[in-house]
Amino acid sequence: MGAIVSGSEVSEKFLTYEWTLTRTTGVKTKTSTGVTTQTCPHCGAQVNINQTAECPYCGSIITTDTFDWAIDNITALSQKTK
Ligand SMILES: [Zn+2]
Protein backbone atom coordinates (compact mmCIF):
# COMPACT_ATOMS: atom_id res chain seq x y z
CA MET A 1 0.00 0.00 0.00
CA GLY A 2 1.39 3.36 -1.03
CA ALA A 3 4.41 1.84 -2.74
CA ILE A 4 5.47 3.40 -6.03
CA VAL A 5 5.04 0.92 -8.85
CA SER A 6 6.95 3.02 -11.38
CA GLY A 7 8.22 6.57 -11.79
CA SER A 8 9.47 8.92 -9.11
CA GLU A 9 8.00 10.42 -5.97
CA VAL A 10 10.06 13.62 -6.25
CA SER A 11 10.32 14.50 -9.93
CA GLU A 12 7.46 15.65 -12.10
CA LYS A 13 7.14 14.93 -15.79
CA PHE A 14 5.72 17.60 -18.06
CA LEU A 15 4.37 16.59 -21.43
CA THR A 16 3.28 19.01 -24.13
CA TYR A 17 0.89 17.89 -26.82
CA GLU A 18 -0.68 19.55 -29.80
CA TRP A 19 -4.29 18.44 -30.20
CA THR A 20 -6.06 18.95 -33.49
CA LEU A 21 -9.84 19.06 -33.11
CA THR A 22 -12.28 19.03 -35.95
CA ARG A 23 -16.00 19.29 -36.42
CA THR A 24 -18.32 19.54 -39.35
CA THR A 25 -18.81 22.94 -40.94
CA GLY A 26 -22.03 24.50 -39.71
CA VAL A 27 -22.18 22.67 -36.35
CA LYS A 28 -22.55 25.32 -33.67
CA THR A 29 -22.26 25.17 -29.90
CA LYS A 30 -25.45 26.35 -28.17
CA THR A 31 -24.78 29.64 -26.42
CA SER A 32 -27.34 28.82 -23.72
CA THR A 33 -25.82 25.54 -22.54
CA GLY A 34 -22.30 25.58 -23.95
CA VAL A 35 -22.78 22.06 -25.27
CA THR A 36 -23.91 20.62 -28.55
CA THR A 37 -27.23 18.86 -28.48
CA GLN A 38 -28.03 16.55 -31.32
CA THR A 39 -30.70 14.09 -32.21
CA CYS A 40 -30.06 10.35 -32.02
CA PRO A 41 -30.10 9.04 -35.60
CA HIS A 42 -31.63 5.80 -34.36
CA CYS A 43 -34.53 6.81 -32.11
CA GLY A 44 -34.69 10.59 -32.55
CA ALA A 45 -34.08 11.45 -28.88
CA GLN A 46 -32.18 14.61 -27.95
CA VAL A 47 -28.71 13.51 -26.87
CA ASN A 48 -25.99 15.58 -25.22
CA ILE A 49 -22.91 14.34 -27.05
CA ASN A 50 -20.56 16.13 -24.65
CA GLN A 51 -21.66 13.75 -21.92
CA THR A 52 -21.89 10.49 -23.79
CA ALA A 53 -21.63 8.97 -27.22
CA GLU A 54 -24.24 6.41 -26.26
CA CYS A 55 -27.93 7.27 -26.57
CA PRO A 56 -29.47 6.99 -23.06
CA TYR A 57 -32.82 6.04 -24.57
CA CYS A 58 -32.08 3.33 -27.13
CA GLY A 59 -28.46 2.51 -26.20
CA SER A 60 -27.11 3.17 -29.69
CA ILE A 61 -23.50 4.26 -29.96
CA ILE A 62 -23.61 7.48 -31.92
CA THR A 63 -20.82 7.60 -34.45
CA THR A 64 -22.01 10.12 -37.01
CA ASP A 65 -19.49 12.85 -37.77
CA THR A 66 -21.98 15.68 -37.62
CA PHE A 67 -21.64 16.10 -33.88
CA ASP A 68 -19.34 18.28 -31.83
CA TRP A 69 -15.55 18.43 -31.71
CA ALA A 70 -13.69 15.23 -32.37
CA ILE A 71 -9.99 14.56 -31.87
CA ASP A 72 -8.35 14.45 -35.27
CA ASN A 73 -4.73 14.14 -34.18
CA ILE A 74 -2.54 14.30 -31.07
CA THR A 75 1.14 15.12 -31.53
CA ALA A 76 3.64 14.95 -28.68
CA LEU A 77 5.72 18.15 -28.80
CA SER A 78 8.02 17.81 -25.82
CA GLN A 79 8.77 15.91 -22.64
CA LYS A 80 10.49 17.43 -19.63
CA THR A 81 11.25 16.02 -16.21
CA LYS A 82 11.78 18.42 -13.30
ZN1 LIG B 1 -31.42 6.71 -29.48
Side-chain angles (χ1 to χ4, degrees):
M1 295 274 276
I4 295 176
V5 176
S6 72
S8 168
E9 195 174 46
V10 293
S11 64
E12 291 180 278
K13 185 173 270 188
F14 295 88
L15 305 170
T16 305
Y17 292 98
E18 181 182 85
W19 288 45
T20 305
L21 303 173
T22 60
R23 69 176 174 182
T24 305
T25 302
V27 175
K28 290 181 178 170
T29 302
K30 281 191 175 181
T31 52
S32 57
T33 60
V35 297
T36 301
T37 301
Q38 293 290 346
T39 304
C40 174
H42 303 282
C43 73
Q46 289 276 300
V47 180
N48 178 358
I49 303 299
N50 287 29
Q51 289 180 339
T52 178
E54 183 180 340
C55 177
Y57 302 98
C58 72
S60 297
I61 303 298
I62 297 164
T63 55
T64 172
D65 60 1
T66 59
F67 295 132
D68 209 354
W69 296 107
I71 299 167
D72 186 52
N73 188 42
I74 301 174
T75 305
L77 297 179
S78 69
Q79 242 189 70
K80 196 187 316 180
T81 304
K82 284 187 178 175

Coordinates of all heavy atoms in Angstrom, one line a residue:
M1 N 0.8 -1.2 0.0 CA 0.0 0.0 0.0 C 0.9 1.2 0.0 O 1.8 1.4 0.8 CB -0.9 0.0 1.2 CG -1.9 -1.1 1.3 SD -3.4 -0.7 0.4 CE -4.3 0.2 1.7
G2 N 0.6 2.1 -0.9 CA 1.4 3.4 -1.0 C 2.7 3.2 -1.7 O 3.4 4.2 -1.9
A3 N 3.1 2.0 -2.1 CA 4.4 1.8 -2.7 C 4.3 2.3 -4.2 O 3.3 2.2 -4.8 CB 4.8 0.4 -2.7
I4 N 5.4 2.9 -4.7 CA 5.5 3.4 -6.0 C 5.8 2.2 -7.0 O 6.7 1.5 -6.8 CB 6.5 4.5 -6.2 CG1 6.1 5.7 -5.3 CG2 6.7 4.9 -7.6 CD1 7.2 6.8 -5.3
V5 N 4.9 2.0 -7.9 CA 5.0 0.9 -8.8 C 6.1 1.3 -9.9 O 6.9 0.5 -10.3 CB 3.7 0.6 -9.5 CG1 3.9 -0.5 -10.6 CG2 2.7 0.1 -8.4
S6 N 6.0 2.5 -10.4 CA 6.9 3.0 -11.4 C 7.0 4.5 -11.3 O 6.1 5.2 -10.7 CB 6.6 2.6 -12.8 OG 5.5 3.3 -13.3
G7 N 8.1 5.1 -11.8 CA 8.2 6.6 -11.8 C 8.9 7.0 -10.5 O 9.6 6.3 -9.9
S8 N 8.7 8.3 -10.2 CA 9.5 8.9 -9.1 C 8.5 9.7 -8.2 O 7.5 10.2 -8.7 CB 10.5 9.9 -9.6 OG 11.0 10.7 -8.6
E9 N 8.8 9.7 -6.9 CA 8.0 10.4 -6.0 C 8.4 11.9 -5.9 O 7.6 12.7 -5.5 CB 8.2 9.8 -4.6 CG 7.2 10.2 -3.6 CD 7.3 9.5 -2.3 OE1 8.5 9.4 -1.8 OE2 6.3 9.0 -1.7
V10 N 9.6 12.2 -6.4 CA 10.1 13.6 -6.2 C 10.1 14.4 -7.5 O 10.1 15.6 -7.5 CB 11.4 13.7 -5.6 CG1 11.3 13.2 -4.1 CG2 12.4 12.8 -6.3
S11 N 10.2 13.7 -8.7 CA 10.3 14.5 -9.9 C 9.0 14.5 -10.6 O 8.2 13.5 -10.5 CB 11.4 13.9 -10.8 OG 11.1 12.6 -11.2
E12 N 8.7 15.6 -11.4 CA 7.5 15.7 -12.1 C 7.8 15.6 -13.6 O 8.8 16.2 -14.0 CB 6.7 17.0 -11.8 CG 6.2 17.0 -10.4 CD 5.5 18.4 -10.2 OE1 6.2 19.3 -9.9 OE2 4.3 18.4 -10.3
K13 N 6.9 15.0 -14.3 CA 7.1 14.9 -15.8 C 6.1 15.8 -16.5 O 4.9 15.7 -16.2 CB 7.0 13.5 -16.3 CG 7.3 13.3 -17.8 CD 7.3 11.9 -18.2 CE 8.7 11.3 -18.0 NZ 8.8 9.9 -18.6
F14 N 6.6 16.7 -17.3 CA 5.7 17.6 -18.1 C 5.7 17.2 -19.5 O 6.7 17.1 -20.2 CB 6.2 19.0 -17.9 CG 6.1 19.5 -16.5 CD1 7.2 19.3 -15.6 CD2 5.0 20.2 -16.0 CE1 7.1 19.7 -14.3 CE2 4.9 20.6 -14.7 CZ 5.9 20.4 -13.8
L15 N 4.5 17.0 -20.0 CA 4.4 16.6 -21.4 C 3.6 17.7 -22.2 O 2.6 18.2 -21.6 CB 3.6 15.3 -21.5 CG 4.2 14.1 -20.7 CD1 3.3 12.9 -20.7 CD2 5.6 13.7 -21.3
T16 N 4.0 18.0 -23.3 CA 3.3 19.0 -24.1 C 2.8 18.3 -25.4 O 3.5 17.7 -26.1 CB 4.2 20.2 -24.5 OG1 4.7 20.7 -23.3 CG2 3.4 21.3 -25.2
Y17 N 1.5 18.5 -25.6 CA 0.9 17.9 -26.8 C 0.2 18.9 -27.6 O -0.3 19.9 -27.1 CB -0.2 16.8 -26.4 CG 0.4 15.6 -25.8 CD1 0.4 15.5 -24.4 CD2 0.9 14.6 -26.5 CE1 0.9 14.4 -23.8 CE2 1.4 13.4 -25.9 CZ 1.4 13.3 -24.6 OH 1.9 12.2 -24.0
E18 N 0.1 18.7 -28.9 CA -0.7 19.6 -29.8 C -1.9 18.7 -30.2 O -1.7 17.7 -30.9 CB 0.1 20.0 -31.0 CG -0.7 20.9 -32.0 CD 0.2 21.2 -33.2 OE1 0.2 20.5 -34.2 OE2 0.8 22.3 -33.2
W19 N -3.1 19.2 -29.9 CA -4.3 18.4 -30.2 C -4.9 19.2 -31.4 O -5.1 20.4 -31.3 CB -5.3 18.4 -29.0 CG -4.9 17.5 -27.9 CD1 -3.6 17.4 -27.3 CD2 -5.7 16.6 -27.2 NE1 -3.7 16.5 -26.3 CE2 -5.0 16.0 -26.2 CE3 -7.1 16.3 -27.3 CZ2 -5.5 15.1 -25.3 CZ3 -7.6 15.4 -26.4 CH2 -6.8 14.8 -25.5
T20 N -5.3 18.4 -32.4 CA -6.1 19.0 -33.5 C -7.5 18.5 -33.4 O -7.7 17.2 -33.3 CB -5.5 18.5 -34.8 OG1 -4.1 18.9 -34.9 CG2 -6.2 19.2 -36.0
L21 N -8.4 19.4 -33.2 CA -9.8 19.1 -33.1 C -10.6 19.5 -34.4 O -10.3 20.6 -34.9 CB -10.4 19.8 -31.9 CG -9.7 19.5 -30.6 CD1 -10.3 20.4 -29.5 CD2 -9.9 18.0 -30.2
T22 N -11.5 18.7 -34.8 CA -12.3 19.0 -36.0 C -13.8 18.8 -35.7 O -14.1 18.1 -34.8 CB -11.9 18.1 -37.2 OG1 -12.2 16.8 -36.8 CG2 -10.5 18.3 -37.6
R23 N -14.6 19.6 -36.4 CA -16.0 19.3 -36.4 C -16.6 19.8 -37.7 O -15.9 20.6 -38.4 CB -16.7 19.9 -35.2 CG -16.8 21.4 -35.2 CD -17.7 21.8 -34.0 NE -17.7 23.3 -33.9 CZ -18.3 23.9 -32.9 NH1 -19.0 23.2 -32.0 NH2 -18.3 25.2 -32.8
T24 N -17.7 19.3 -38.1 CA -18.3 19.5 -39.3 C -18.7 21.0 -39.5 O -19.1 21.6 -38.5 CB -19.6 18.7 -39.5 OG1 -19.2 17.3 -39.3 CG2 -20.2 18.9 -40.9
T25 N -18.4 21.6 -40.6 CA -18.8 22.9 -40.9 C -20.3 23.1 -40.7 O -21.1 22.3 -41.1 CB -18.5 23.3 -42.4 OG1 -17.1 23.0 -42.7 CG2 -18.9 24.7 -42.7
G26 N -20.6 24.2 -40.0 CA -22.0 24.5 -39.7 C -22.5 24.0 -38.4 O -23.6 24.5 -37.9
V27 N -21.8 23.1 -37.7 CA -22.2 22.7 -36.3 C -21.8 23.8 -35.4 O -20.7 24.2 -35.4 CB -21.5 21.4 -36.0 CG1 -21.8 21.0 -34.5 CG2 -21.9 20.2 -36.9
K28 N -22.8 24.2 -34.6 CA -22.5 25.3 -33.7 C -22.9 24.9 -32.2 O -23.8 24.2 -32.0 CB -23.4 26.5 -34.1 CG -22.9 27.2 -35.3 CD -23.8 28.4 -35.7 CE -23.2 29.1 -37.0 NZ -24.2 30.1 -37.4
T29 N -22.0 25.4 -31.3 CA -22.3 25.2 -29.9 C -23.4 26.1 -29.4 O -23.4 27.3 -29.8 CB -21.0 25.5 -29.1 OG1 -19.9 24.7 -29.6 CG2 -21.2 25.2 -27.6
K30 N -24.3 25.5 -28.7 CA -25.4 26.4 -28.2 C -24.9 27.4 -27.2 O -24.2 27.0 -26.2 CB -26.5 25.5 -27.5 CG -27.4 24.7 -28.4 CD -28.5 24.1 -27.6 CE -29.6 23.5 -28.5 NZ -30.7 22.9 -27.8
T31 N -25.3 28.6 -27.3 CA -24.8 29.6 -26.4 C -25.4 29.5 -25.0 O -24.9 29.9 -24.0 CB -25.0 31.1 -27.0 OG1 -26.4 31.2 -27.3 CG2 -24.2 31.3 -28.2
S32 N -26.6 28.9 -25.0 CA -27.3 28.8 -23.7 C -26.7 27.8 -22.8 O -26.6 28.0 -21.6 CB -28.8 28.5 -24.0 OG -28.9 27.3 -24.7
T33 N -26.3 26.6 -23.4 CA -25.8 25.5 -22.5 C -24.3 25.3 -22.7 O -23.7 24.7 -21.8 CB -26.5 24.2 -22.9 OG1 -26.2 23.9 -24.3 CG2 -28.0 24.3 -22.7
G34 N -23.7 25.8 -23.7 CA -22.3 25.6 -24.0 C -22.0 24.2 -24.5 O -20.8 23.8 -24.5
V35 N -23.0 23.4 -24.8 CA -22.8 22.1 -25.3 C -23.6 21.9 -26.6 O -24.4 22.7 -26.9 CB -23.2 21.0 -24.3 CG1 -22.4 21.0 -23.0 CG2 -24.7 21.1 -24.0
T36 N -23.2 20.9 -27.3 CA -23.9 20.6 -28.5 C -24.9 19.5 -28.3 O -24.6 18.5 -27.8 CB -22.9 20.2 -29.6 OG1 -21.9 21.2 -29.8 CG2 -23.6 19.9 -30.9
T37 N -26.2 19.8 -28.6 CA -27.2 18.9 -28.5 C -27.6 18.4 -29.9 O -27.8 19.2 -30.8 CB -28.5 19.5 -27.8 OG1 -28.0 19.9 -26.5 CG2 -29.5 18.4 -27.6
Q38 N -27.7 17.1 -30.0 CA -28.0 16.6 -31.3 C -29.1 15.5 -31.1 O -29.4 15.1 -30.0 CB -26.8 15.9 -32.0 CG -25.7 16.9 -32.4 CD -26.1 17.8 -33.6 OE1 -27.1 17.5 -34.3 NE2 -25.3 18.8 -33.8
T39 N -29.6 15.1 -32.2 CA -30.7 14.1 -32.2 C -30.1 12.7 -32.5 O -29.3 12.6 -33.5 CB -31.8 14.5 -33.2 OG1 -32.2 15.8 -33.0 CG2 -33.0 13.5 -33.2
C40 N -30.5 11.7 -31.8 CA -30.1 10.4 -32.0 C -30.6 9.9 -33.4 O -31.8 10.0 -33.7 CB -30.6 9.4 -30.9 SG -30.2 7.7 -31.3
P41 N -29.7 9.4 -34.3 CA -30.1 9.0 -35.6 C -30.9 7.8 -35.6 O -31.6 7.4 -36.6 CB -28.8 8.8 -36.3 CG -27.8 8.6 -35.3 CD -28.2 9.3 -34.1
H42 N -30.9 7.1 -34.4 CA -31.6 5.8 -34.4 C -33.1 5.9 -33.8 O -34.0 5.4 -34.4 CB -30.8 4.8 -33.5 CG -29.5 4.6 -34.0 ND1 -29.2 3.8 -35.1 CD2 -28.3 5.1 -33.7 CE1 -27.9 3.8 -35.4 NE2 -27.3 4.6 -34.5
C43 N -33.2 6.7 -32.7 CA -34.5 6.8 -32.1 C -35.1 8.2 -32.1 O -36.2 8.5 -31.8 CB -34.5 6.2 -30.7 SG -33.7 7.2 -29.5
G44 N -34.2 9.2 -32.5 CA -34.7 10.6 -32.6 C -34.6 11.4 -31.2 O -35.1 12.5 -31.2
A45 N -34.1 10.8 -30.2 CA -34.1 11.4 -28.9 C -33.0 12.5 -28.9 O -32.0 12.4 -29.6 CB -33.8 10.4 -27.8
Q46 N -33.2 13.6 -28.1 CA -32.2 14.6 -27.9 C -31.1 14.1 -27.1 O -31.3 13.6 -26.0 CB -32.8 15.8 -27.3 CG -33.8 16.6 -28.2 CD -33.0 17.6 -29.1 OE1 -32.4 18.5 -28.6 NE2 -33.2 17.4 -30.4
V47 N -29.8 14.1 -27.6 CA -28.7 13.5 -26.9 C -27.6 14.6 -26.7 O -27.3 15.3 -27.6 CB -28.1 12.3 -27.7 CG1 -27.0 11.7 -26.9 CG2 -29.2 11.3 -27.9
N48 N -27.1 14.7 -25.5 CA -26.0 15.6 -25.2 C -24.7 14.8 -25.5 O -24.3 14.0 -24.7 CB -26.0 16.1 -23.8 CG -24.9 17.0 -23.4 OD1 -24.0 17.2 -24.3 ND2 -24.9 17.4 -22.2
I49 N -24.1 15.1 -26.6 CA -22.9 14.3 -27.1 C -21.7 14.7 -26.2 O -20.8 13.9 -26.1 CB -22.6 14.6 -28.5 CG1 -23.9 14.3 -29.4 CG2 -21.4 13.8 -29.1 CD1 -24.3 12.8 -29.3
N50 N -21.7 15.8 -25.5 CA -20.6 16.1 -24.7 C -20.5 15.2 -23.4 O -19.5 15.1 -22.8 CB -20.6 17.6 -24.2 CG -20.3 18.5 -25.3 OD1 -20.5 18.2 -26.5 ND2 -19.7 19.7 -25.0
Q51 N -21.6 14.6 -23.1 CA -21.7 13.7 -21.9 C -21.4 12.3 -22.3 O -20.8 11.5 -21.6 CB -23.0 13.8 -21.2 CG -23.2 15.2 -20.5 CD -24.5 15.2 -19.8 OE1 -25.4 14.5 -20.1 NE2 -24.6 16.1 -18.8
T52 N -22.0 11.9 -23.4 CA -21.9 10.5 -23.8 C -22.0 10.3 -25.3 O -22.6 11.2 -25.9 CB -23.0 9.7 -23.1 OG1 -22.9 8.3 -23.5 CG2 -24.4 10.2 -23.4
A53 N -21.5 9.3 -25.8 CA -21.6 9.0 -27.2 C -22.6 7.8 -27.4 O -22.8 7.3 -28.4 CB -20.3 8.6 -27.8
E54 N -23.3 7.5 -26.2 CA -24.2 6.4 -26.3 C -25.6 7.0 -26.0 O -25.8 7.7 -25.0 CB -23.9 5.4 -25.2 CG -24.8 4.2 -25.2 CD -24.5 3.1 -24.1 OE1 -23.3 3.1 -23.7 OE2 -25.3 2.3 -23.8
C55 N -26.6 6.7 -26.8 CA -27.9 7.3 -26.6 C -28.5 6.7 -25.3 O -28.6 5.4 -25.2 CB -28.8 6.9 -27.8 SG -30.5 7.5 -27.5
P56 N -28.9 7.5 -24.3 CA -29.5 7.0 -23.1 C -30.8 6.3 -23.2 O -31.3 5.7 -22.3 CB -29.5 8.2 -22.2 CG -29.6 9.4 -23.1 CD -28.9 9.0 -24.3
Y57 N -31.5 6.6 -24.4 CA -32.8 6.0 -24.6 C -32.8 4.7 -25.3 O -33.5 3.8 -24.8 CB -33.7 7.1 -25.3 CG -33.7 8.4 -24.6 CD1 -32.9 9.4 -25.0 CD2 -34.6 8.6 -23.5 CE1 -32.9 10.6 -24.3 CE2 -34.6 9.7 -22.8 CZ -33.8 10.8 -23.2 OH -33.8 12.0 -22.5
C58 N -32.1 4.6 -26.4 CA -32.1 3.3 -27.1 C -30.8 2.6 -27.0 O -30.7 1.4 -27.5 CB -32.5 3.6 -28.6 SG -31.2 4.4 -29.5
G59 N -29.7 3.2 -26.4 CA -28.5 2.5 -26.2 C -27.5 2.5 -27.4 O -26.5 1.9 -27.4
S60 N -27.9 3.2 -28.5 CA -27.1 3.2 -29.7 C -25.8 4.0 -29.4 O -25.9 5.0 -28.8 CB -27.9 3.8 -30.8 OG -29.0 3.1 -31.2
I61 N -24.7 3.5 -30.0 CA -23.5 4.3 -30.0 C -23.6 5.2 -31.2 O -23.8 4.8 -32.3 CB -22.3 3.3 -30.1 CG1 -22.3 2.3 -28.9 CG2 -21.0 4.2 -30.1 CD1 -22.2 2.9 -27.5
I62 N -23.4 6.5 -30.9 CA -23.6 7.5 -31.9 C -22.3 7.8 -32.5 O -21.3 8.3 -31.9 CB -24.3 8.7 -31.3 CG1 -25.7 8.3 -30.9 CG2 -24.4 9.8 -32.4 CD1 -26.3 9.3 -29.9
T63 N -22.1 7.5 -33.8 CA -20.8 7.6 -34.5 C -20.8 8.6 -35.6 O -19.8 8.8 -36.3 CB -20.4 6.2 -35.0 OG1 -21.4 5.7 -35.8 CG2 -20.1 5.3 -33.9
T64 N -22.0 9.2 -35.9 CA -22.0 10.1 -37.0 C -21.1 11.3 -36.8 O -20.8 11.7 -35.7 CB -23.5 10.6 -37.2 OG1 -23.4 11.6 -38.2 CG2 -24.1 11.2 -36.0
D65 N -20.5 11.8 -37.9 CA -19.5 12.9 -37.8 C -20.1 14.3 -37.8 O -19.4 15.2 -37.9 CB -18.5 12.7 -38.9 CG -19.1 12.8 -40.3 OD1 -20.3 13.0 -40.4 OD2 -18.3 12.6 -41.3
T66 N -21.4 14.4 -37.6 CA -22.0 15.7 -37.6 C -22.1 16.3 -36.2 O -22.6 17.3 -36.1 CB -23.4 15.6 -38.2 OG1 -24.2 14.7 -37.4 CG2 -23.4 15.2 -39.7
F67 N -21.5 15.6 -35.2 CA -21.6 16.1 -33.9 C -20.5 17.0 -33.5 O -19.8 17.5 -34.4 CB -21.8 14.9 -32.9 CG -23.0 14.2 -33.1 CD1 -23.0 12.8 -33.2 CD2 -24.2 14.8 -33.3 CE1 -24.2 12.1 -33.4 CE2 -25.4 14.2 -33.5 CZ -25.4 12.8 -33.5
D68 N -20.3 17.3 -32.3 CA -19.3 18.3 -31.8 C -17.9 17.9 -32.1 O -17.6 16.9 -32.8 CB -19.6 18.6 -30.3 CG -19.2 20.0 -30.0 OD1 -18.7 20.7 -30.8 OD2 -19.5 20.4 -28.8
W69 N -17.0 18.6 -31.5 CA -15.6 18.4 -31.7 C -15.1 17.0 -31.5 O -15.5 16.3 -30.6 CB -14.8 19.3 -30.7 CG -15.0 20.7 -30.9 CD1 -15.7 21.6 -30.1 CD2 -14.5 21.5 -32.0 NE1 -15.7 22.9 -30.6 CE2 -14.9 22.9 -31.8 CE3 -13.7 21.3 -33.1 CZ2 -14.6 23.9 -32.6 CZ3 -13.4 22.3 -34.0 CH2 -13.8 23.6 -33.7
A70 N -14.3 16.6 -32.4 CA -13.7 15.2 -32.4 C -12.2 15.4 -32.5 O -11.7 16.3 -33.1 CB -14.2 14.4 -33.5
I71 N -11.5 14.5 -31.8 CA -10.0 14.6 -31.9 C -9.5 14.0 -33.2 O -9.8 12.9 -33.6 CB -9.4 13.8 -30.7 CG1 -9.8 14.4 -29.4 CG2 -7.8 13.8 -30.8 CD1 -9.5 13.5 -28.2
D72 N -8.8 14.8 -34.0 CA -8.3 14.4 -35.3 C -6.9 13.9 -35.2 O -6.6 13.0 -35.8 CB -8.4 15.7 -36.2 CG -8.0 15.3 -37.6 OD1 -8.7 14.3 -38.1 OD2 -7.2 15.9 -38.2
N73 N -6.1 14.5 -34.3 CA -4.7 14.1 -34.2 C -4.2 14.6 -32.9 O -4.5 15.7 -32.4 CB -3.9 14.7 -35.3 CG -2.5 14.2 -35.4 OD1 -2.3 13.0 -35.2 ND2 -1.6 15.1 -35.6
I74 N -3.3 13.9 -32.3 CA -2.5 14.3 -31.1 C -1.1 14.1 -31.3 O -0.6 13.0 -31.6 CB -2.9 13.5 -29.8 CG1 -4.4 13.6 -29.6 CG2 -2.1 14.0 -28.6 CD1 -5.0 12.8 -28.4
T75 N -0.3 15.2 -31.3 CA 1.1 15.1 -31.5 C 1.9 15.5 -30.3 O 1.6 16.5 -29.7 CB 1.5 16.1 -32.7 OG1 0.7 15.8 -33.8 CG2 3.0 16.0 -33.0
A76 N 2.8 14.6 -29.8 CA 3.6 15.0 -28.7 C 4.7 16.0 -29.1 O 5.5 15.7 -30.0 CB 4.3 13.7 -28.1
L77 N 4.8 17.1 -28.4 CA 5.7 18.2 -28.8 C 7.0 18.1 -28.0 O 8.1 18.2 -28.5 CB 5.1 19.5 -28.6 CG 3.9 19.8 -29.5 CD1 3.4 21.2 -29.3 CD2 4.2 19.7 -31.0
S78 N 6.8 17.9 -26.7 CA 8.0 17.8 -25.8 C 7.7 17.1 -24.5 O 6.6 16.9 -24.1 CB 8.5 19.2 -25.5 OG 7.6 19.9 -24.6
Q79 N 8.8 16.6 -23.9 CA 8.8 15.9 -22.6 C 9.9 16.5 -21.8 O 11.0 16.6 -22.2 CB 9.1 14.4 -22.9 CG 8.0 13.5 -22.5 CD 8.4 12.1 -22.6 OE1 9.2 11.6 -21.8 NE2 7.9 11.3 -23.6
K80 N 9.5 16.8 -20.5 CA 10.5 17.4 -19.6 C 10.3 16.9 -18.2 O 9.1 16.8 -17.7 CB 10.3 19.0 -19.6 CG 11.5 19.7 -19.1 CD 11.2 21.2 -18.9 CE 10.5 21.8 -20.1 NZ 10.3 23.3 -19.9
T81 N 11.3 16.5 -17.6 CA 11.2 16.0 -16.2 C 11.9 17.0 -15.3 O 13.1 17.4 -15.5 CB 11.9 14.6 -16.1 OG1 11.3 13.7 -17.0 CG2 11.7 14.1 -14.7
K82 N 11.2 17.5 -14.2 CA 11.8 18.4 -13.3 C 12.0 17.8 -12.0 O 11.2 17.0 -11.5 CB 10.8 19.6 -13.2 CG 10.9 20.5 -14.4 CD 10.1 21.8 -14.1 CE 10.3 22.8 -15.3 NZ 9.4 23.9 -15.2
Ligands
ZN1 ZN -31.4 6.7 -29.5

